[in-house]
Amino acid sequence: MDGSVKELAINHSLDAESLYRLIDSCNDHTLTLLQQLAVETSVAQWGKGIFVRGLIEISSHCRNNCLYCGLRRDNTHLSRYRLSNDEILQCCKHGYAMGLRTFVLQSGEDPFLSDDNLCELVSLIRSSYPDTAITLSLGERSHESYQRLFEAGASRYLLRHEAAQSSLYAQIHPKEMSLNNRINCIKSLLNIGYQTGMGMMIGVPGQTTQSLVEDLMLMKQLKPHMIGIGPFITHHDTPLKEHNNGSLKLTLTILAITRLMFPDALIPATTALSTLSPDGHLQGILSGANVIMPNLSPQNVRALYNIYDNKAYKASQSADELQLLDNELHSIGYHINYSRGDHKNFSCNDNNL
Ligand code: SAH
Ligand code: SF4
Protein backbone atom coordinates (compact mmCIF):
# COMPACT_ATOMS: atom_id res chain seq x y z
CA MET A 1 0.00 0.00 0.00
CA ASP A 2 2.89 2.37 0.77
CA GLY A 3 3.88 2.17 -2.91
CA SER A 4 0.46 3.47 -4.02
CA VAL A 5 0.60 6.31 -1.49
CA LYS A 6 4.03 7.37 -2.70
CA GLU A 7 2.95 7.12 -6.34
CA LEU A 8 -0.04 9.33 -5.52
CA ALA A 9 2.21 11.88 -3.81
CA ILE A 10 4.57 12.03 -6.79
CA ASN A 11 2.18 11.79 -9.76
CA HIS A 12 -0.98 13.21 -8.14
CA SER A 13 -2.99 10.47 -9.77
CA LEU A 14 -3.61 6.77 -9.43
CA ASP A 15 -5.57 4.33 -11.59
CA ALA A 16 -9.06 3.48 -10.36
CA GLU A 17 -8.14 -0.04 -9.27
CA SER A 18 -5.20 1.09 -7.11
CA LEU A 19 -7.33 3.88 -5.63
CA TYR A 20 -9.99 1.31 -4.74
CA ARG A 21 -7.44 -0.91 -2.99
CA LEU A 22 -5.91 2.04 -1.17
CA ILE A 23 -9.26 3.19 0.25
CA ASP A 24 -10.54 -0.31 0.91
CA SER A 25 -7.54 -1.56 2.85
CA CYS A 26 -6.36 1.68 4.48
CA ASN A 27 -5.12 0.84 7.98
CA ASP A 28 -3.73 3.20 10.65
CA HIS A 29 -0.22 2.98 9.26
CA THR A 30 -1.37 3.88 5.73
CA LEU A 31 -3.52 6.75 7.02
CA THR A 32 -0.57 8.19 8.94
CA LEU A 33 1.58 8.07 5.80
CA LEU A 34 -1.22 9.61 3.70
CA GLN A 35 -1.63 12.44 6.22
CA GLN A 36 2.11 13.08 6.43
CA LEU A 37 2.45 13.37 2.64
CA ALA A 38 -0.79 15.36 2.33
CA VAL A 39 0.53 17.90 4.84
CA GLU A 40 3.87 18.11 3.01
CA THR A 41 2.04 18.69 -0.28
CA SER A 42 -0.30 21.29 1.19
CA VAL A 43 2.51 23.18 2.94
CA ALA A 44 4.68 23.12 -0.19
CA GLN A 45 1.81 24.65 -2.21
CA TRP A 46 0.21 26.96 0.32
CA GLY A 47 2.46 27.33 3.36
CA LYS A 48 1.17 27.10 6.92
CA GLY A 49 -1.40 29.89 6.67
CA ILE A 50 -5.01 28.72 6.77
CA PHE A 51 -7.45 30.83 4.76
CA VAL A 52 -10.61 31.96 6.54
CA ARG A 53 -13.98 32.54 4.83
CA GLY A 54 -16.90 34.16 6.62
CA LEU A 55 -19.97 31.96 6.15
CA ILE A 56 -23.31 33.78 6.07
CA GLU A 57 -26.33 31.46 5.99
CA ILE A 58 -28.73 33.80 4.22
CA SER A 59 -31.90 31.66 4.07
CA SER A 60 -33.10 28.30 5.35
CA HIS A 61 -36.02 28.07 2.90
CA CYS A 62 -35.56 25.29 0.36
CA ARG A 63 -37.70 24.02 -2.52
CA ASN A 64 -35.58 20.87 -2.75
CA ASN A 65 -35.96 17.64 -0.90
CA CYS A 66 -32.50 16.04 -0.66
CA LEU A 67 -32.95 13.01 1.57
CA TYR A 68 -29.97 13.76 3.82
CA CYS A 69 -30.62 17.42 4.63
CA GLY A 70 -32.61 19.01 7.46
CA LEU A 71 -33.54 22.01 5.30
CA ARG A 72 -35.46 19.78 2.84
CA ARG A 73 -38.93 21.10 2.04
CA ASP A 74 -40.75 18.16 3.65
CA ASN A 75 -39.24 18.97 7.04
CA THR A 76 -42.16 20.85 8.53
CA HIS A 77 -40.61 20.93 12.01
CA LEU A 78 -38.14 23.65 11.13
CA SER A 79 -38.96 27.32 11.51
CA ARG A 80 -37.57 29.03 8.46
CA TYR A 81 -35.86 32.40 8.18
CA ARG A 82 -34.45 34.66 5.51
CA LEU A 83 -31.99 37.50 6.19
CA SER A 84 -32.64 40.94 4.72
CA ASN A 85 -29.99 42.68 2.62
CA ASP A 86 -29.38 45.02 5.55
CA GLU A 87 -28.78 42.10 7.91
CA ILE A 88 -26.39 40.49 5.43
CA LEU A 89 -24.48 43.75 4.99
CA GLN A 90 -24.22 44.02 8.78
CA CYS A 91 -22.62 40.54 8.83
CA CYS A 92 -20.16 41.66 6.15
CA LYS A 93 -19.34 44.82 8.09
CA HIS A 94 -18.68 42.78 11.21
CA GLY A 95 -16.59 40.21 9.30
CA TYR A 96 -14.61 42.85 7.41
CA ALA A 97 -13.71 44.59 10.68
CA MET A 98 -12.33 41.28 11.95
CA GLY A 99 -10.17 40.90 8.89
CA LEU A 100 -12.21 38.50 6.75
CA ARG A 101 -11.79 39.06 3.00
CA THR A 102 -14.10 36.37 1.64
CA PHE A 103 -17.83 36.18 2.27
CA VAL A 104 -19.64 32.95 1.48
CA LEU A 105 -23.38 33.40 1.00
CA GLN A 106 -25.06 30.04 1.49
CA SER A 107 -28.74 29.06 1.53
CA GLY A 108 -31.34 26.49 0.64
CA GLU A 109 -32.81 26.82 -2.85
CA ASP A 110 -35.09 29.64 -1.81
CA PRO A 111 -37.46 30.78 -4.61
CA PHE A 112 -37.39 34.30 -3.13
CA LEU A 113 -33.73 34.54 -4.11
CA SER A 114 -34.49 35.59 -7.69
CA ASP A 115 -31.74 36.76 -10.01
CA ASP A 116 -32.81 40.37 -9.54
CA ASN A 117 -32.77 40.15 -5.74
CA LEU A 118 -29.47 38.32 -5.62
CA CYS A 119 -27.76 40.57 -8.17
CA GLU A 120 -28.79 43.55 -6.10
CA LEU A 121 -27.32 41.93 -2.98
CA VAL A 122 -24.07 40.87 -4.69
CA SER A 123 -23.62 44.35 -6.22
CA LEU A 124 -24.19 45.96 -2.82
CA ILE A 125 -21.50 43.81 -1.19
CA ARG A 126 -19.18 44.26 -4.14
CA SER A 127 -19.41 48.06 -3.99
CA SER A 128 -19.23 48.24 -0.18
CA TYR A 129 -16.23 45.90 0.11
CA PRO A 130 -14.36 46.03 -3.24
CA ASP A 131 -11.34 44.12 -1.95
CA THR A 132 -13.28 41.05 -0.87
CA ALA A 133 -14.22 37.89 -2.73
CA ILE A 134 -17.88 36.87 -2.87
CA THR A 135 -18.55 33.14 -2.91
CA LEU A 136 -22.04 31.80 -3.53
CA SER A 137 -23.45 28.45 -2.42
CA LEU A 138 -27.09 28.62 -3.47
CA GLY A 139 -27.63 25.31 -5.26
CA GLU A 140 -28.71 24.63 -8.83
CA ARG A 141 -29.61 27.59 -11.04
CA SER A 142 -29.68 28.24 -14.80
CA HIS A 143 -26.58 29.12 -16.83
CA GLU A 144 -28.03 32.61 -17.36
CA SER A 145 -28.50 33.05 -13.64
CA TYR A 146 -24.92 32.00 -12.85
CA GLN A 147 -23.75 34.38 -15.60
CA ARG A 148 -25.71 37.34 -14.18
CA LEU A 149 -24.43 36.72 -10.67
CA PHE A 150 -20.88 36.52 -11.97
CA GLU A 151 -21.32 39.83 -13.76
CA ALA A 152 -22.76 41.35 -10.58
CA GLY A 153 -19.50 40.51 -8.80
CA ALA A 154 -19.54 36.94 -7.46
CA SER A 155 -16.35 35.10 -8.38
CA ARG A 156 -16.61 31.74 -6.62
CA TYR A 157 -19.37 29.14 -6.37
CA LEU A 158 -19.64 26.01 -4.24
CA LEU A 159 -21.83 23.25 -5.65
CA ARG A 160 -20.93 19.81 -4.42
CA HIS A 161 -21.65 17.07 -6.94
CA GLU A 162 -22.72 14.94 -3.91
CA ALA A 163 -22.34 11.57 -5.68
CA ALA A 164 -20.70 10.79 -9.01
CA GLN A 165 -22.33 7.36 -9.23
CA SER A 166 -25.79 7.82 -10.74
CA SER A 167 -27.39 5.00 -8.71
CA LEU A 168 -26.16 6.55 -5.44
CA TYR A 169 -27.15 10.05 -6.57
CA ALA A 170 -30.68 8.75 -7.26
CA GLN A 171 -30.81 6.99 -3.89
CA ILE A 172 -30.19 10.17 -1.87
CA HIS A 173 -32.13 12.67 -3.97
CA PRO A 174 -35.79 12.98 -4.97
CA LYS A 175 -36.82 11.90 -8.48
CA GLU A 176 -36.94 15.44 -9.86
CA MET A 177 -33.21 15.94 -9.27
CA SER A 178 -30.61 14.44 -11.60
CA LEU A 179 -26.87 13.91 -11.60
CA ASN A 180 -26.82 15.08 -15.21
CA ASN A 181 -28.27 18.42 -14.29
CA ARG A 182 -25.89 18.78 -11.35
CA ILE A 183 -22.87 18.11 -13.57
CA ASN A 184 -24.17 20.54 -16.19
CA CYS A 185 -24.47 23.22 -13.49
CA ILE A 186 -20.85 22.59 -12.42
CA LYS A 187 -19.69 22.78 -16.07
CA SER A 188 -21.59 26.08 -16.50
CA LEU A 189 -19.85 27.53 -13.45
CA LEU A 190 -16.44 26.44 -14.75
CA ASN A 191 -17.15 27.79 -18.25
CA ILE A 192 -18.33 31.15 -16.95
CA GLY A 193 -15.06 31.53 -15.07
CA TYR A 194 -16.03 30.97 -11.44
CA GLN A 195 -13.54 29.45 -9.04
CA THR A 196 -15.71 26.40 -8.63
CA GLY A 197 -16.13 23.99 -5.72
CA MET A 198 -17.26 20.38 -5.92
CA GLY A 199 -17.33 17.67 -3.26
CA MET A 200 -19.30 15.05 -1.40
CA MET A 201 -20.20 13.76 2.03
CA ILE A 202 -18.39 10.74 3.42
CA GLY A 203 -20.53 7.91 4.76
CA VAL A 204 -23.82 8.88 3.19
CA PRO A 205 -26.04 5.75 3.20
CA GLY A 206 -25.43 3.59 0.12
CA GLN A 207 -21.93 4.95 -0.47
CA THR A 208 -19.29 2.30 -1.25
CA THR A 209 -15.56 2.30 -1.94
CA GLN A 210 -16.43 2.11 -5.62
CA SER A 211 -18.64 5.21 -5.44
CA LEU A 212 -15.87 7.12 -3.64
CA VAL A 213 -13.43 6.17 -6.41
CA GLU A 214 -15.95 7.51 -8.93
CA ASP A 215 -16.23 10.76 -6.94
CA LEU A 216 -12.46 11.25 -7.05
CA MET A 217 -12.30 10.36 -10.76
CA LEU A 218 -15.10 12.79 -11.65
CA MET A 219 -13.30 15.58 -9.84
CA LYS A 220 -10.05 14.67 -11.59
CA GLN A 221 -11.89 15.05 -14.86
CA LEU A 222 -13.63 18.36 -14.09
CA LYS A 223 -10.74 19.96 -12.14
CA PRO A 224 -12.57 22.02 -9.49
CA HIS A 225 -10.65 24.79 -7.70
CA MET A 226 -12.19 24.02 -4.32
CA ILE A 227 -13.20 20.67 -2.85
CA GLY A 228 -15.59 20.35 0.08
CA ILE A 229 -15.50 17.00 1.84
CA GLY A 230 -17.17 16.33 5.19
CA PRO A 231 -18.80 13.44 7.00
CA PHE A 232 -22.51 12.73 6.56
CA ILE A 233 -24.21 13.67 9.84
CA THR A 234 -27.67 12.30 10.64
CA HIS A 235 -30.60 14.69 10.90
CA HIS A 236 -33.51 13.39 12.97
CA ASP A 237 -36.23 14.79 10.66
CA THR A 238 -35.06 13.29 7.38
CA PRO A 239 -35.70 9.92 5.70
CA LEU A 240 -32.07 8.97 6.51
CA LYS A 241 -32.57 9.45 10.26
CA GLU A 242 -31.86 5.79 11.09
CA HIS A 243 -28.37 5.91 9.58
CA ASN A 244 -25.17 6.55 11.48
CA ASN A 245 -22.80 9.47 11.00
CA GLY A 246 -19.95 9.01 8.54
CA SER A 247 -16.64 7.80 9.98
CA LEU A 248 -13.96 10.28 11.06
CA LYS A 249 -11.19 7.99 9.91
CA LEU A 250 -12.63 7.49 6.43
CA THR A 251 -13.26 11.24 6.09
CA LEU A 252 -9.62 11.99 6.97
CA THR A 253 -8.44 9.26 4.58
CA ILE A 254 -10.41 10.72 1.68
CA LEU A 255 -9.29 14.26 2.60
CA ALA A 256 -5.64 13.24 2.52
CA ILE A 257 -6.05 11.36 -0.77
CA THR A 258 -7.84 14.40 -2.21
CA ARG A 259 -4.97 16.70 -1.21
CA LEU A 260 -2.48 14.36 -2.90
CA MET A 261 -4.62 14.23 -6.07
CA PHE A 262 -5.27 18.02 -6.11
CA PRO A 263 -2.16 19.77 -4.70
CA ASP A 264 -3.35 23.28 -5.58
CA ALA A 265 -7.01 22.95 -4.56
CA LEU A 266 -8.55 24.98 -1.74
CA ILE A 267 -9.86 22.33 0.65
CA PRO A 268 -11.83 23.32 3.77
CA ALA A 269 -11.80 21.51 7.08
CA THR A 270 -15.60 21.52 7.23
CA THR A 271 -17.96 22.34 10.09
CA ALA A 272 -19.35 18.80 9.74
CA LEU A 273 -15.88 17.47 10.62
CA SER A 274 -15.85 19.59 13.79
CA THR A 275 -19.33 18.33 14.59
CA LEU A 276 -18.06 14.75 14.50
CA SER A 277 -15.06 15.48 16.70
CA PRO A 278 -14.21 18.60 18.77
CA ASP A 279 -10.78 18.92 17.14
CA GLY A 280 -12.04 17.79 13.73
CA HIS A 281 -10.96 21.04 12.06
CA LEU A 282 -7.39 20.55 13.31
CA GLN A 283 -7.39 16.92 12.20
CA GLY A 284 -8.65 18.12 8.81
CA ILE A 285 -5.71 20.50 8.49
CA LEU A 286 -3.36 17.72 9.53
CA SER A 287 -4.83 15.71 6.64
CA GLY A 288 -4.14 18.42 4.03
CA ALA A 289 -7.01 20.94 4.36
CA ASN A 290 -6.09 24.65 4.06
CA VAL A 291 -9.34 26.57 4.57
CA ILE A 292 -11.72 27.13 7.49
CA MET A 293 -15.13 28.76 7.19
CA PRO A 294 -16.06 30.42 10.50
CA ASN A 295 -19.74 31.21 10.96
CA LEU A 296 -20.64 34.86 10.43
CA SER A 297 -24.44 34.47 10.51
CA PRO A 298 -26.36 36.46 13.15
CA GLN A 299 -26.37 34.50 16.44
CA ASN A 300 -30.17 34.25 16.54
CA VAL A 301 -30.44 32.28 13.27
CA ARG A 302 -27.48 29.92 13.62
CA ALA A 303 -29.48 27.13 15.25
CA LEU A 304 -32.20 27.49 12.60
CA TYR A 305 -29.84 26.69 9.73
CA ASN A 306 -30.25 23.11 10.77
CA ILE A 307 -28.76 21.03 7.96
CA TYR A 308 -27.81 18.21 10.35
CA ASP A 309 -28.03 17.43 14.07
CA ASN A 310 -25.68 19.04 16.64
CA LYS A 311 -24.03 21.35 14.10
CA ALA A 312 -20.79 22.59 15.74
CA TYR A 313 -21.30 25.77 17.71
CA LYS A 314 -17.75 25.85 19.04
CA ALA A 315 -16.44 29.32 19.71
CA SER A 316 -13.45 28.74 17.45
CA GLN A 317 -15.88 27.98 14.58
CA SER A 318 -17.49 31.38 15.02
CA ALA A 319 -16.15 34.42 13.22
CA ASP A 320 -16.46 36.35 16.51
CA GLU A 321 -13.65 34.29 17.97
CA LEU A 322 -10.94 34.32 15.32
CA GLN A 323 -8.32 34.77 18.03
CA LEU A 324 -9.36 31.45 19.57
CA LEU A 325 -9.10 29.79 16.19
CA ASP A 326 -5.67 31.33 15.63
CA ASN A 327 -4.54 30.00 19.03
CA GLU A 328 -5.75 26.52 18.13
CA LEU A 329 -3.95 26.72 14.79
CA HIS A 330 -0.74 27.82 16.53
CA SER A 331 -0.95 24.74 18.75
CA ILE A 332 -0.40 22.60 15.62
CA GLY A 333 2.13 24.95 14.00
CA TYR A 334 -0.26 26.85 11.72
CA HIS A 335 -1.82 30.34 11.71
CA ILE A 336 -4.64 32.27 10.04
CA ASN A 337 -3.91 33.74 6.62
CA TYR A 338 -6.23 36.75 6.25
CA SER A 339 -5.66 37.29 2.53
CA ARG A 340 -8.44 36.54 0.03
CA GLY A 341 -6.83 33.27 -0.90
CA ASP A 342 -7.76 32.93 -4.54
CA HIS A 343 -6.88 29.80 -6.43
CA LYS A 344 -3.48 30.10 -8.11
CA ASN A 345 -4.99 30.22 -11.60
CA PHE A 346 -6.78 33.44 -10.65
CA SER A 347 -4.81 36.53 -9.78
CA CYS A 348 -6.26 39.49 -7.87
CA ASN A 349 -5.97 41.62 -11.01
CA ASP A 350 -8.36 39.34 -12.89
CA ASN A 351 -11.66 40.84 -13.84
CA ASN A 352 -14.45 40.34 -11.38
CA LEU A 353 -12.38 39.27 -8.41
N1 SAH B 1 -28.54 24.38 -0.94
C1 SAH B 1 -27.17 24.45 -1.28
C2 SAH B 1 -26.27 24.87 -0.15
C3 SAH B 1 -26.63 24.40 1.22
S1 SAH B 1 -26.37 22.71 1.57
C4 SAH B 1 -26.71 23.14 -1.87
O1 SAH B 1 -27.37 22.13 -1.68
O2 SAH B 1 -25.67 23.16 -2.54
C5 SAH B 1 -24.61 22.65 1.61
C6 SAH B 1 -24.03 21.27 1.73
O3 SAH B 1 -24.38 20.70 2.98
C7 SAH B 1 -24.52 20.25 0.72
O4 SAH B 1 -23.77 20.33 -0.46
C8 SAH B 1 -24.35 18.92 1.44
O5 SAH B 1 -23.24 18.18 0.94
C9 SAH B 1 -24.15 19.32 2.90
N2 SAH B 1 -25.09 18.58 3.75
C10 SAH B 1 -26.43 18.52 3.63
N3 SAH B 1 -26.95 17.66 4.54
C11 SAH B 1 -25.91 17.16 5.23
C12 SAH B 1 -25.79 16.18 6.28
N4 SAH B 1 -26.85 15.59 6.78
N5 SAH B 1 -24.56 15.90 6.74
C13 SAH B 1 -23.46 16.53 6.25
N6 SAH B 1 -23.51 17.44 5.26
C14 SAH B 1 -24.72 17.74 4.75
FE1 SF4 C 1 -31.86 22.22 -0.02
FE2 SF4 C 1 -29.17 22.19 -0.29
FE3 SF4 C 1 -30.40 20.90 1.71
FE4 SF4 C 1 -30.65 19.96 -0.77
S1 SF4 C 1 -28.72 20.10 0.43
S2 SF4 C 1 -32.32 20.19 0.73
S3 SF4 C 1 -30.70 21.87 -1.94
S4 SF4 C 1 -30.35 23.07 1.38
Side-chain angles (χ1 to χ4, degrees):
M1 227 22 73
D2 287 11
S4 291
V5 178
K6 285 173 189 155
E7 186 183 336
L8 196 53
I10 293 165
N11 299 332
H12 310 303
S13 72
L14 209 54
D15 63 85
E17 208 177 301
S18 309
L19 210 44
Y20 184 102
R21 268 189 278 116
L22 176 58
I23 298 171
D24 205 42
S25 53
C26 187
N27 55 26
D28 287 350
H29 163 81
T30 313
L31 175 56
T32 304
L33 182 62
L34 274 170
Q35 288 176 307
Q36 197 185 317
L37 293 173
V39 163
E40 272 175 28
T41 304
S42 183
V43 171
Q45 286 284 330
W46 294 100
K48 289 204 154 188
I50 300 297
F51 297 113
V52 277
R53 324 294 201 195
L55 177 65
I56 312 174
E57 297 154 332
I58 64 174
S59 166
S60 67
H61 292 269
C62 191
R63 68 186 167 99
N64 259 348
N65 225 3
C66 306
L67 271 69
Y68 41 84
C69 175
L71 302 192
R72 65 200 305 273
R73 67 164 183 265
D74 282 357
N75 181 10
T76 51
H77 296 131
L78 189 66
S79 61
R80 311 272 175 169
Y81 73 90
R82 179 183 300 123
L83 300 182
S84 67
N85 283 0
D86 279 349
E87 288 173 306
I88 296 166
L89 281 167
Q90 272 305 317
C91 297
C92 295
K93 185 177 178 188
H94 185 47
Y96 192 88
M98 285 181 311
L100 295 169
R101 291 297 177 268
T102 294
F103 301 121
V104 181
L105 310 184
Q106 193 184 75
S107 77
E109 292 195 12
D110 178 353
F112 174 82
L113 297 176
S114 63
D115 292 347
D116 285 348
N117 288 345
L118 279 170
C119 284
E120 186 190 335
L121 170 63
V122 169
S123 309
L124 270 171
I125 300 176
R126 167 64 44 253
S127 56
S128 309
Y129 302 100
D131 58 337
T132 59
I134 302 171
T135 305
L136 302 177
S137 174
L138 310 169
E140 296 182 8
R141 304 179 71 89
S142 66
H143 183 91
E144 293 67 35
S145 173
Y146 290 143
Q147 183 72 50
R148 281 192 61 190
L149 292 166
F150 187 76
E151 281 158 17
S155 58
R156 307 178 189 158
Y157 204 105
L158 308 175
L159 185 67
R160 292 184 177 179
H161 65 281
E162 311 291 3
Q165 193 178 50
S166 48
S167 54
L168 176 58
Y169 191 92
Q171 224 173 300
I172 58 175
H173 292 101
K175 280 198 184 58
E176 65 269 21
M177 289 180 74
S178 83
L179 176 60
N180 234 350
N181 195 43
R182 177 66 55 139
I183 291 178
N184 284 337
C185 285
I186 292 168
K187 287 182 176 166
S188 279
L189 293 164
L190 288 163
N191 286 336
I192 289 167
Y194 280 98
Q195 296 177 51
T196 303
M198 294 176 67
M200 66 282 179
M201 290 168 278
I202 305 299
V204 75
Q207 189 177 63
T208 59
T209 302
Q210 180 57 31
S211 55
L212 284 169
V213 170
E214 292 182 31
D215 286 325
L216 292 165
M217 290 301 191
L218 177 67
M219 293 196 288
K220 202 69 189 165
Q221 186 195 330
L222 295 181
K223 303 187 181 66
H225 309 96
M226 305 174 281
I227 301 178
I229 290 176
F232 161 74
I233 312 267
T234 316
H235 186 289
H236 64 281
D237 274 324
T238 64
L240 302 182
K241 64 181 174 200
E242 308 294 348
H243 295 270
N244 292 331
N245 291 343
S247 121
L248 177 65
K249 198 175 140 194
L250 183 58
T251 307
L252 298 175
T253 304
I254 301 298
L255 261 181
I257 290 176
T258 303
R259 168 56 72 205
L260 293 176
M261 287 179 75
F262 303 88
D264 58 8
L266 290 146
I267 302 181
T270 57
T271 311
L273 197 51
S274 306
T275 301
L276 207 55
S277 165
D279 66 346
H281 51 303
L282 302 181
Q283 296 199 55
I285 288 162
L286 294 174
S287 304
N290 66 332
V291 174
I292 286 193
M293 297 166 65
N295 198 319
L296 196 52
S297 306
Q299 292 285 354
N300 62 322
V301 303
R302 286 189 195 176
L304 297 179
Y305 196 78
N306 190 215
I307 290 189
Y308 45 77
D309 289 342
N310 307 314
K311 204 166 131 227
Y313 297 110
K314 279 191 62 182
S316 64
Q317 296 292 302
S318 163
D320 309 299
E321 305 286 357
L322 289 181
Q323 190 54 52
L324 273 184
L325 174 62
D326 202 38
N327 293 345
E328 289 187 348
L329 291 176
H330 271 99
S331 75
I332 57 164
Y334 286 76
H335 57 271
I336 292 180
N337 179 340
Y338 283 96
S339 72
R340 285 165 39 128
D342 288 292
H343 187 272
K344 291 189 170 160
N345 294 350
F346 296 76
S347 86
C348 276
N349 297 327
D350 284 355
N351 225 356
N352 212 40
L353 292 177

